[in-house]
Amino acid sequence: MKIAGLDIGTTGCKCTVFDEKGAYLGKAYRDYPVRRSVGGHEMDVSAIMEGVFGVLREMAGQYPDIAGIGVTSFGETFVMTDGEGKPLHTAMLYTDPRGARQCARLREKIGEKEIARITGLRPHEMYSISKLMWIRENRPEVYEKAAYVFLMEDYVVYHLTGVRQIDYSLATRTMAFDISSLTWSREIFEAAEIDVSKMSAPVPTGTDAGKILESAAEEIGLSPDCHVISVSHDQVAAAVGAGVFDSSVAVDGAGTVECVTPVFDAMPDVDVMYNGYFSIVPYVIPGKYVAYAFSYTGGALMQWCTDTLAKKEKELAKEAGCSVNEYLEQAYRGERAEEPSGLLVLPHFAGAATPYMDTGSRGAILGLTTDTSAADLYRACMEGVVYEMKLNVDALEGSGARFTSMHATGGGAHSAVWMQMKADMLNVPITALKTVDAGTVGSAMLTGIAIGVFADLEDAAKHMVEKTVTYEPRLKMHEKYMEIYRRYAKVYDAVRPLMGTDPV
């Protein structure tokens, strides 16, 4: 018996297969195009289904006894379909600028704070409901013809099972879900003038949608007894895959985007969360919640640094038989040991996420001299990402977040230098996990629980969450970083007025 995690992302999807003991067996990946223009950012959801069926066929060809497939996806993006589930338009991504005026009208009708109280989200046009309003007003022929509205998780689950259900965590990304009653908010749908009956039924994270359709099973090569599970929004799946189940531990997602995900044992303080643009998301454990504190550029900033500023070092790293990242880390250590760089890097190279949510902000590097090397800049970029996370952790103060340790996932968790820096700066022990892809692990864990392979979360974690090394904070280094951090905390306010781009 095998279990699989299907992870649907904005640029590609992957299916990872594990055995009944939680051991990794194999993975398949397909990418699909995203269209970006001045007026909109769109994707063809038919291409997503082609990718999904492609990865499932590849894995079924190797492991035809897959007994359960858990589906997790990115958030916000939706598609309206006819009664047979056929798309009626290309889907708008969360970065699509359309929906701003509609979101402003919702704010006026209901009030920002009331929307935040109901949905756990500070209003923003990135969320689905504003873009649904845009379609109703600008493409009424699509809206009137539409029988269903799907986000990507429930869209895929529907095409695999014929069941329309969406888990609570992904439903929150619409900005139309009541996180207290765990139902669609009729007040918001009525104010938006959107028919709530078009939405899928909200269900708890990790709910079994039933057996795969015979037609889908035959096309993929799976048994018709294979079950499909509605897992969650991808960040929630990553928290599960990191083995984080209570408020004492937070997730450090060290991927392309840097994301800290704390767990709350009760409803967080709504005002604190509102001020920092932090989401309040129902977690897999009833009565508990998670939040997302994130920077758009985590590993992406490291990639920019190596691609743009370290071309010579790439050649030297190749000669030395190591990655350019390792080469730059070693070069810095050889010159400066572990002293902070002293440079200030504002990592807003793709705009600012929490606690600002300012897409008009831009990156900045302060403190350069003619002696500054590529290794110095690389180190400073690493520091800038962590300073930004420290800023987010400080902004969560008073919300109810009380973690005293962290579990790190993603490619960045393999950098001992970066992990130690985070432990020192945030002043908490950080344990790196073996898996890079906690999302598919979490999806498979919840799938295993749903079909009876694992008894519960703790049992699944024993089988699938593997810790490697723990980095303990060092007081002297923490104090050195905090001297610089006090200056870093002033950088955004100092340079933002000089950038000229309007905040969104």
Side-chain angles (χ1 to χ4, degrees), residues 127-340:
Y127 301 116
S128 316
I129 193 69
S130 303
K131 290 174 171 51
L132 275 168
M133 293 169 68
W134 187 93
I135 288 180
R136 184 181 61 77
E137 295 167 15
N138 293 275
R139 300 189 65 186
E141 75 286 355
V142 170
Y143 180 81
E144 292 303 324
K145 190 177 179 181
Y148 307 136
V149 175
F150 292 109
L151 275 69
M152 294 306 101
E153 173 202 87
D154 51 322
Y155 178 73
V156 170
V157 169
Y158 175 75
H159 279 276
L160 292 177
T161 67
V163 175
R164 290 199 302 131
Q165 65 179 38
I166 182 172
D167 95 285
Y168 296 155
S169 69
L170 190 63
T172 64
R173 307 311 291 174
T174 62
M175 201 180 82
F177 184 74
D178 189 321
I179 59 170
S180 297
S181 65
L182 300 176
T183 58
W184 295 118
S185 169
R186 293 199 171 271
E187 180 180 359
I188 290 176
F189 275 95
E190 288 173 6
E193 299 180 49
I194 299 296
D195 183 358
V196 70
S197 69
K198 296 179 187 288
M199 308 301 293
S200 300
V203 296
T205 294
T207 294
D208 188 352
K211 294 180 180 180
I212 191 170
L213 292 167
E214 287 190 14
S215 57
E218 185 175 346
E219 183 176 349
I220 293 167
L222 288 168
S223 163
D225 291 327
C226 177
H227 285 244
V228 178
I229 317 302
S230 296
V231 176
S232 66
H233 184 220
D234 51 14
Q235 293 293 350
V236 167
V240 173
V244 173
F245 306 132
D246 62 53
S247 60
S248 67
V249 188
V251 184
D252 170 42
T256 302
V257 170
E258 179 76 17
C259 184
V260 170
T261 305
V263 176
F264 297 83
D265 292 329
M267 181 69 76
D269 186 289
V270 175
D271 290 334
V272 173
M273 303 298 277
Y274 172 90
N275 290 336
Y277 286 93
F278 300 116
S279 306
I280 304 174
V281 184
Y283 196 33
V284 62
I285 303 167
K288 295 191 178 187
Y289 302 84
V290 295
Y292 310 139
F294 64 104
S295 169
Y296 291 126
T297 47
L301 184 57
M302 303 303 105
Q303 187 71 45
W304 170 84
C305 189
T306 57
D307 288 348
T308 308
L309 305 175
K311 294 178 180 178
K312 178 184 177 182
E313 286 75 14
K314 275 190 175 182
E315 295 176 4
L316 294 172
K318 189 175 181 179
E319 292 175 8
C322 64
S323 71
V324 65
N325 307 78
E326 292 171 322
Y327 182 89
L328 289 166
E329 288 175 358
Q330 292 167 8
Y332 183 90
R333 180 173 285 180
E335 295 174 4
R336 309 268 307 269
E338 293 190 68
E339 290 297 307

Side-chain angles (χ1 to χ4, degrees), residues 4-7 14 16 18 22 24 27 70-73 231-245 250-255 259 261 283 407-414 431-447 457 460-461 464-466:
L6 176 64
D7 186 1
K14 57 179 171 281
T16 308
F18 304 83
Y24 169 85
K27 178 173 67 175
V71 182
T72 183
S73 80
V231 176
S232 66
H233 184 220
D234 51 14
Q235 293 293 350
V236 167
V240 173
V244 173
F245 306 132
V251 184
D252 170 42
C259 184
T261 305
Y283 196 33
H407 287 178
T409 68
H414 292 163
T431 299
L433 303 182
K434 183 176 181 180
T435 179
V436 169
D437 191 358
T440 52
V441 170
S443 183
M445 286 168 64
L446 291 172
T447 299
L457 286 169
M464 300 192 69
V465 179
E466 188 174 347

